[in-house]
Amino acid sequence: SGVKEDGAYLMSLTTQNGRITKKLFCDMKNGGWTLIGQVAGKAAMYDGWLRAFKNEQNLETPQITLATWASIPAVDLAVNHATQVRLSNEDISKWVKWEMDTSRTVETWWNRDDGQSSINQATDHAVKVYNQDGGSSNCYQNKYGILQIRQAGGSYPSAQVNGAGNTSPGDNCMSVGVQPSGTHDGYSQNGNGYDQPDSNSDWPNGDYRSPPVVNVWVGGAVVPASPSCKALYDSGVKEDGAYPISITTPDGPTTKKLYCDMKNGGWTLIGQVAGKAAMYDGWLRAFKNEQNLETPQITLATWASIPAVDLAVNHATQV
């Protein structure tokens, strides 16, 4: 609509009781991020965090209120009107962001009520988490977006360090702690479930046991899948980034996020390699570490590929 100034704007929210309007802070300078949660300190917020209203007036500013938490029912917003989640400090000089799982639904996303067992059994998907300096980490999530390991308290939003659901300080994989103690929804807390910054300067976080001090945002353009980055470019998309691309495979069509170089006219990243590898039977003809193709940053000692023949023959003229 052309609004480019940061500030609190009226947002229409879908809740269990119907639609309601609230003022929420919008970070417009960085592309239009909506502030949906804020926490400073350990709190038993597992039954309402990002799923219910709590001190929502605090979300009219990114200044973090100490010793409390604030939230809105953000599931519909996260599933149907955004593609990315971001954690930040209060002046947004430090942050991490990642693509929310494409298999998420309003029934699963940030829903601890389904219980730890169901969350743990859901299929994990690799995801790149980026920081404000352009660095990234390979992390994991599933259709719940909740830290799955039983002893870590079911933290969320969560991008965990491996498929088992472990946490680790000092990287970009982060999970916001929501359960200080006790047993709830099949989760206990051994102290390791607080894998997020504990101050405005603790980025990335120095440990995974300290109280959270963080803002939570959703954003990212909801772009329909396209047959190529060039097609997206011709439709008016001009910003570099990872976009959903329709890929024709021997098993039928599928959609994957691939990096698009828009500044140079709409180039699709289809392969990446660092080192000698026996890749003759799959290179550019099969999926291999395709999540690495969401960024042109080359991952050392590995290779990444998609089945790119249809894209190269029918939707492109140059390599």
Side-chain angles (χ1 to χ4, degrees):
S1 66
V3 178
K4 296 293 189 291
E5 185 176 347
D6 291 351
Y9 295 92
L10 285 172
M11 295 290 152
S12 180
L13 305 174
T14 297
T15 75
Q16 292 181 339
N17 298 319
R19 300 195 68 82
I20 192 169
T21 301
K22 293 285 183 180
K23 273 198 170 186
L24 301 173
F25 188 86
C26 296
D27 171 20
M28 298 301 197
K29 292 178 182 176
N30 292 299
W33 291 84
T34 307
L35 183 59
I36 61 170
Q38 184 183 96
V39 58
K42 289 186 178 182
M45 54 187 193
Y46 49 84
D47 60 350
W49 174 238
L50 306 183
R51 298 183 65 86
F53 289 113
K54 172 78 171 182
N55 298 317
E56 64 270 17
Q57 69 278 359
N58 293 355
L59 301 177
E60 295 183 22
T61 171
Q63 182 178 336
I64 298 173
T65 303
L66 298 180
T68 192
W69 60 281
S71 168
I72 61 162
V75 172
D76 174 74
L77 184 58
V79 172
N80 295 319
H81 305 286
T83 58
Q84 297 176 318
V85 62
R86 183 181 72 177
L87 311 181
S88 83
N89 63 355
E90 64 182 11
D91 68 3
I92 322 176
S93 62
K94 302 289 186 182
W95 51 261
V96 295
K97 68 178 181 180
W98 65 93
E99 298 287 332
M100 292 180 283
D101 199 84
T102 54
S103 64
R104 72 194 186 281
T105 67
V106 293
E107 289 77 28
T108 64
W109 198 236
W110 299 333
N111 180 17
R112 282 180 43 127
D113 288 346
D114 276 5
Q116 187 272 339
S117 179
S118 295
I119 294 167
N120 186 52
Q121 290 172 17
T123 302
D124 297 307
H125 303 122
V127 62
K128 285 271 189 181
V129 179
Y130 299 91
N131 65 28
Q132 72 285 337
D133 298 321
S136 66
S137 297
N138 292 319
C139 309
Y140 293 83
Q141 64 180 346
N142 62 28
K143 65 182 181 180
Y144 288 94
I146 297 171
L147 187 64
Q148 64 196 63
I149 195 166
R150 184 182 300 276
Q151 298 86 0
S155 308
Y156 68 95
S158 174
Q160 54 203 38
V161 72
N162 57 28
N166 295 112
T167 53
S168 177
D171 60 10
N172 297 308
C173 307
M174 295 186 184
S175 303
V176 179
V178 299
Q179 179 180 315
S181 61
T183 300
H184 307 277
D185 305 318
Y187 285 101
S188 59
Q189 179 59 265
N190 64 4
N192 296 346
Y194 285 84
D195 189 15
Q196 80 294 295
D198 63 11
S199 72
N200 282 311
S201 59
D202 179 38
W203 288 80
N205 51 302
D207 65 76
Y208 46 59
R209 290 175 171 265
S210 296
V213 177
V214 70
N215 280 320
V216 180
W217 314 73
V218 290
V222 181
V223 177
S226 175
S228 70
C229 294
K230 182 62 167 62
L232 277 175
Y233 180 86
D234 291 342
S235 73
V237 178
K238 297 296 189 285
E239 184 177 349
D240 291 350
Y243 295 93
I245 302 298
S246 298
I247 301 169
T248 299
T249 77
D251 298 321
T254 188
T255 300
K256 295 288 183 180
K257 284 226 169 183
L258 300 174
Y259 187 85
C260 295
D261 171 17
M262 298 302 197
K263 291 178 182 175
N264 292 299
W267 292 81
T268 309
L269 182 60
I270 61 171
Q272 186 183 94
V273 60
K276 290 183 178 179
M279 53 188 193
Y280 50 83
D281 60 350
W283 174 239
L284 305 183
R285 298 185 68 87
F287 289 114
K288 173 76 171 181
N289 298 318
E290 63 270 17
Q291 71 277 4
N292 292 354
L293 301 178
E294 294 182 20
T295 171
Q297 180 179 334
I298 297 175
T299 303
L300 298 180
T302 191
W303 61 282
S305 167
I306 63 162
V309 173
D310 175 76
L311 181 60
V313 173
N314 297 317
H315 303 285
T317 58
Q318 295 177 313
V319 62

